[in-house]
Amino acid sequence: MSNDNKSIHEFDLDLICEYYSNLERQGPGSPEITLKALSFIDNLTDESQIADIGCGTGGKTMVLGQHAPGQIRGIDLFPKFIHLFNEHAKKLNLQDRVKGIVESMDQLSFQEEELDLIWSEGAIYNIGFERGLKEWRKFLKKGGYIAVSEASWFTNGRPDEIHEFWMDAYPGIDTIPNKVKQMQHAGYIPVASFILPENCWIEHFYEPQLEAEKKFLKKYKGNQTAEFFIKNQRHEESLYYKYKDYYGYVFYIGKKL
Ligand code: SAH
């Protein structure tokens, strides 16, 4: 890869994007958990309009596509992810109903009250949980649903090391009751919230990365940015094993009033 004309920042993003392109999922989750969240949504028909915001390469969107009726649009900022997403849909013969579009979640082009369901696994943090819930609400029909997964604290207090890590990474992390309250204040009935089990992090997220990390380090041997990135990934993973009693991902499902 040539980085002659790119800023360090752009180069970083390209590298991170390439790394995640080699993984089926770009965040914690599992097919079982996607289906569990889907089981709370009761308004879908063949006419339904669904958006998966921050869909990545679509590992989870395809599970939705295979189990939910209607049209699904996957939205992601990165063209490479959307390219892989659309190939993925074709392979599964879902291309007529499941389509990837490059767009930013803070400038969505949906019509007001167009959507029956907004989905977003491990991605709303990019805009912030409260802001995303408030700004996306107008795109939902009355009685439409939103289902998002989001990093959350499990306890009121926690060791300094993990607290400081998250305050730096995503200060929007909060306890489950506070997130539920935010959902209610944003104009939704909080229909359900549940913690993603550990296998969503271990078997479905961190373990598949071992192989991807090896390949990546081999390809970018001596590249400091790549080596630093992988070191960070490993640090984040070790913190998960050490502190998984204190935080994790939680699915929040809400219904527009
Ligand atoms: N939902 C996927 C991906 C989660 S990772 C999964 O669970 O596997 C978060 C995703 O958000 C990434 O694919 C990233 O490219 C995307 N993203 C980051 N900022 C974005 C923005 N402003 N608009 C749309 N997508 C964004």
Side-chain angles (χ1 to χ4, degrees), residues 17 20 24-29 52-61 75-78 81 103-108 119-127 149 205 249:
C17 194
Y20 279 111
E24 191 181 336
R25 289 180 196 81
Q26 287 75 43
D52 182 3
I53 304 178
C55 59
T57 60
K60 290 158 186 162
T61 329
I75 307 291
D76 205 279
L77 191 58
F78 290 110
F81 287 169
E103 203 163 78
S104 184
M105 60 174 76
D106 54 7
Q107 288 183 336
L108 294 167
W119 203 265
S120 183
E121 294 197 43
I124 195 170
Y125 72 89
N126 287 295
I127 187 171
S149 67
F205 190 53
Y249 262 56

Side-chain angles (χ1 to χ4, degrees), residues 9-22:
H9 183 65
E10 276 177 280
F11 184 53
D12 283 358
L13 273 184
D14 279 352
L15 268 184
I16 295 170
C17 194
E18 179 185 333
Y19 174 78
Y20 279 111
S21 299
N22 293 319

Side-chain angles (χ1 to χ4, degrees), residues 1-245:
M1 184 191 279
S2 153
N3 66 337
D4 293 351
N5 300 316
K6 292 186 175 176
S7 69
I8 298 275
H9 183 65
E10 276 177 280
F11 184 53
D12 283 358
L13 273 184
D14 279 352
L15 268 184
I16 295 170
C17 194
E18 179 185 333
Y19 174 78
Y20 279 111
S21 299
N22 293 319
L23 295 166
E24 191 181 336
R25 289 180 196 81
Q26 287 75 43
S30 71
E32 294 73 29
I33 287 305
T34 296
L35 293 181
K36 181 169 176 164
L38 186 61
S39 73
F40 291 98
I41 318 297
D42 59 14
N43 63 341
L44 299 177
T45 67
D46 288 340
E47 311 307 317
S48 293
Q49 295 294 328
I50 301 169
D52 182 3
I53 304 178
C55 59
T57 60
K60 290 158 186 162
T61 329
M62 302 306 144
V63 175
L64 270 187
Q66 286 168 317
H67 292 91
Q71 295 285 327
I72 304 180
R73 275 166 285 174
I75 307 291
D76 205 279
L77 191 58
F78 290 110
K80 181 161 186 173
F81 287 169
I82 291 299
H83 175 74
L84 290 167
F85 178 107
N86 284 326
E87 284 194 342
H88 209 153
K90 247 185 242 158
K91 265 188 211 137
L92 296 171
N93 205 23
L94 290 169
Q95 71 276 12
D96 294 338
R97 293 202 299 115
V98 181
K99 293 184 177 122
I101 297 159
V102 178
E103 203 163 78
S104 184
M105 60 174 76
D106 54 7
Q107 288 183 336
L108 294 167
S109 59
F110 297 114
Q111 309 287 314
E112 291 200 4
E113 307 210 343
E114 180 182 350
L115 301 172
D116 297 274
L117 170 63
I118 293 178
W119 203 265
S120 183
E121 294 197 43
I124 195 170
Y125 72 89
N126 287 295
I127 187 171
F129 183 79
E130 284 189 277
R131 182 179 161 200
L133 289 182
K134 284 181 187 156
E135 284 189 13
W136 299 347
R137 186 177 180 276
K138 60 178 171 291
F139 302 123
L140 279 178
K141 292 178 189 157
K142 279 200 193 93
Y145 284 87
I146 188 159
V148 300
S149 67
E150 161 86 340
S152 308
W153 296 126
F154 296 161
T155 54
N156 282 333
R158 67 225 46 118
D160 288 347
E161 185 183 21
I162 194 61
H163 187 80
E164 280 156 23
F165 171 81
W166 275 100
M167 285 308 110
D168 182 47
Y170 179 49
I173 186 170
D174 211 334
T175 60
I176 301 170
N178 285 346
K179 292 271 175 199
V180 170
K181 207 181 268 177
Q182 288 165 11
M183 180 168 250
Q184 179 134 22
H185 284 160
Y188 302 89
I189 300 168
V191 171
S193 63
F194 61 89
I195 295 175
L196 275 64
E198 284 175 16
N199 75 348
C200 288
W201 291 80
I202 299 170
E203 281 98 319
H204 294 282
F205 190 53
Y206 287 134
E207 284 179 2
Q209 291 193 47
L210 291 176
E211 203 47 42
E213 285 179 2
K214 269 196 226 147
K215 267 195 210 155
F216 189 75
L217 283 178
K218 203 169 157 199
K219 181 169 175 191
Y220 290 106
K221 202 169 175 346
N223 178 319
Q224 282 186 344
T225 313
E227 285 172 0
F228 182 70
F229 172 67
I230 297 299
K231 205 172 129 213
N232 264 334
Q233 293 290 103
R234 288 187 178 154
H235 175 61
E236 192 188 304
E237 180 178 347
S238 71
L239 287 178
Y240 179 71
Y241 286 101
K242 197 167 165 191
Y243 294 117
K244 58 187 165 53
D245 289 344

